Amino acid sequence: MKTLKIITAIALALIGFPSCEEEAQEIFASRVSLNQLSVDIPVGQTIHLSAVIYPATTTDKTIIWSSSDESVATVNDGTIVTLRVGQTIITATCGDKSASCVVNVIPIEVEEITLNAKEASLKVGESISLTATVKPENATDKTVIWSSSDEEIATVKDGVVTAIKIGSTTIIAKAGDKSATCVVTVEATPVTSITLDKTTASLKAGETVTLTATVKPDDATDKTVTWTTSDASIVTVDNGVVTAKKVGTATITAKAGDKSATCAVTVVATPVTSVTLNKTTASLKAGETVTLTATVKPDDATDKTVTWSTSDASVAAVENGVVTAKKVGTATITAKAGDKSATCAITVVATPVTSVTLDRTSASLKAGETVTLTATVIPDDATDKTVTWTTSDASVATVDNGVVTAKKVGTATITAKTGDKSATCEVTVTPTASGGHEGITEEDW
């Protein structure tokens, strides 16, 4: 049995190996076959293609591998390494024969995206960073696109969420066709305190002071300050500016949220320091007037009311600064404001008579007859227009308040005098005719 095996081996050797003297015959490849004609490979992965050379007795079975686009995939001894999404043709060549495989490098799709938080609560102005985890780790495009369902409430950029105003919004992180969300609630930041830079203030009417309110915390959602006064007739307030109106006290309140602060404001009187008159003396005739003007200092005195008075109302009266002369004499006009006063000495002088005239300069009467003389005194506003009547001879003619009565035959001069002025009328009393009437009247005369 052992001998048979040796003989068989020698026979096979003689068949397979020609003698060194016989010339070798080269056999070329007639066909190349690949185990796949097309294949889809996720980017980043590798695959091995197998090539079969026909005939099996091909002398040189060396295979040359190539890729039509080595930026998409490379090939080395049948092993394909994918580099990026795209398509390339892998070719296996042996001699002048080849076979190809279309390789489609496909992306690795996102299977899942998750966020490190599904909900968050922020105050206005605060921010939070959300982290997105994309799976699988070798997904081709792990780019995350961030968005907010309401950017007026909160915005997001690269996962950083910033609260804008009170409300609720959904933050969405999307990778591929997968997404994850986080519900963000923006809450108010309440005011914890409010303080004023002054807690008390003293002003004069017309003066102002500006109060400054400090609201804490700095990031309080609504730091609006509302200003009020307890008595607007004493002080008013507008955006922190307090204006004094009249003497008294009032409380200014600044309120933010449910917190408040107050300042007690006292409005004190501004006293009168002086009163002056535009005249310190004046000379008037009875019936004349003069207007006195009082100047009260300071200009912002709280009570600039002027009270007027006269030392003798029968000589000169005063009303609201208007002085009216009544009769000859002197009077002092006083203007008073607060505890200050000023005076003006008023002298009322006489208006002298400049002339007196009679409506008759002569008259002829018979005993018992009368005539009335009328005296005209100039000027009309003479202080004393009293007329004094006299006769030069009361036995011839008498006079009473201008009424002349004839007594007996003769002549007499009737004089009317006012002040230092006078006028006269020559009266002649003639004899009464026999049988005449002694009781002749003025009209008959």
Side-chain angles (χ1 to χ4, degrees):
M1 187 70 175
K2 184 175 181 183
T3 303
L4 179 59
K5 288 183 179 178
I6 294 172
I7 294 170
T8 302
I10 293 171
L12 289 174
L14 291 174
I15 294 171
F17 299 98
S19 66
C20 294
E21 295 179 356
E22 186 180 354
E23 183 179 349
Q25 184 178 1
E26 186 174 5
I27 301 174
F28 296 99
S30 63
R31 183 166 64 91
V32 176
S33 175
L34 293 176
N35 62 331
Q36 295 189 78
L37 297 179
S38 67
V39 64
D40 293 338
I41 311 174
V43 67
Q45 293 187 9
T46 63
I47 190 174
H48 185 77
L49 291 180
S50 298
V52 178
I53 309 300
Y54 294 96
T57 59
T58 299
T59 305
D60 185 359
K61 293 184 177 182
T62 302
I63 299 174
I64 298 174
W65 296 88
S66 64
S67 170
S68 63
D69 191 342
E70 292 192 343
S71 67
V72 174
T74 62
V75 62
N76 183 21
D77 198 21
T79 300
I80 300 170
V81 177
T82 57
L83 301 176
R84 68 175 178 84
V85 175
Q87 187 183 77
T88 187
I89 298 175
I90 301 299
T91 302
T93 302
C94 180
D96 59 358
K97 305 300 179 180
S98 63
S100 298
C101 176
V102 177
V103 176
N104 294 306
V105 181
I106 60 175
I108 299 176
E109 301 294 342
V110 173
E111 297 175 0
E112 180 187 30
I113 181 172
T114 58
L115 292 176
N116 59 327
K118 291 186 177 181
E119 59 182 25
S121 179
L122 300 174
K123 295 177 181 177
V124 174
E126 286 185 339
S127 63
I128 186 175
S129 292
L130 295 179
T131 301
T133 301
V134 179
K135 289 185 178 180
E137 292 184 358
N138 62 344
T140 301
D141 187 0
K142 298 174 69 175
T143 302
V144 177
I145 298 174
W146 297 88
S147 63
S148 169
S149 64
D150 192 339
E151 292 193 341
E152 290 187 355
I153 294 175
T155 60
V156 61
K157 183 178 181 182
D158 296 332
V160 178
V161 180
T162 302
I164 304 298
K165 73 174 185 180
I166 296 171
S168 180
T169 185
T170 300
I171 302 301
I172 304 167
K174 187 175 182 182
D177 61 354
K178 305 300 180 180
S179 61
T181 61
C182 176
V183 177
V184 175
T185 302
V186 181
E187 303 173 338
T189 302
V191 172
T192 57
S193 69
I194 180 172
T195 56
L196 292 176
D197 59 337
K198 296 177 183 291
T199 55
T200 62
S202 179
L203 302 173
K204 295 178 182 178
E207 287 185 337
T208 63
V209 64
T210 299
L211 300 179
T212 301
T214 301
V215 179
K216 291 293 183 180
D218 293 337
D219 62 348
T221 302
D222 186 359
K223 297 175 72 176
T224 303
V225 178
T226 303
W227 299 87
T228 57
T229 176
S230 62
D231 192 335
S233 67
I234 295 174
V235 291
T236 60
V237 62
D238 182 13
N239 200 29
V241 179
V242 180
T243 303
K245 296 295 185 180
K246 70 175 184 180
V247 175
T249 58
T251 300
I252 301 299
T253 302
K255 187 175 182 181
D258 61 353
K259 305 300 180 180
S260 61
T262 60
C263 177
V265 179
T266 301
V267 182
V268 297
T270 301
V272 173
T273 56
S274 68
V275 178
T276 56
L277 292 175
N278 57 328
K279 296 177 181 290
T280 56
T281 62
S283 181
L284 303 174
K285 295 176 182 178
E288 288 184 335
T289 63
V290 65
T291 299
L292 299 180
T293 302
T295 301
V296 179
K297 291 291 183 180
D299 292 336
D300 62 348
T302 302
D303 187 358
K304 298 175 71 175
T305 303
V306 177
T307 303
W308 299 88
S309 62
T310 178
S311 62
D312 192 338
S314 66
V315 174
V318 63
E319 182 177 358
N320 200 31
V322 179
V323 180
T324 303
K326 297 294 187 179
K327 69 175 184 179
V328 175
T330 59
T332 300
I333 302 299
T334 301
K336 187 175 183 181
D339 60 354
K340 305 299 179 181
S341 61
T343 60
C344 178
I346 303 294
T347 301
V348 182
V349 297
T351 302
V353 174
T354 57
S355 69
V356 179
T357 58
L358 293 175
D359 58 340
R360 296 172 183 272
T361 58
S362 64
S364 178
L365 300 174
K366 293 179 180 179
E369 288 180 338
T370 62
V371 65
T372 300
L373 301 178
T374 301
T376 301
V377 180
I378 299 297
D380 292 338
D381 62 348
T383 302
D384 187 359
K385 297 174 71 175
T386 303
V387 178
T388 302
W389 300 87
T390 61
T391 178
S392 63
D393 190 341
S395 66
V396 174
T398 60
V399 63
D400 182 14
N401 199 29
V403 179
V404 179
T405 303
K407 294 296 185 178
K408 69 175 185 178
V409 175
T411 60
T413 300
I414 301 301
T415 302
K417 186 176 183 181
T418 300
D420 59 354
K421 306 298 179 180
S422 62
T424 62
C425 177
E426 293 294 327
V427 177
T428 301
V429 181
T430 61
T432 303
S434 176
H437 300 284
E438 294 183 356
I440 189 169
T441 66
E442 177 181 354
E443 287 77 9
D444 294 332
W445 172 78

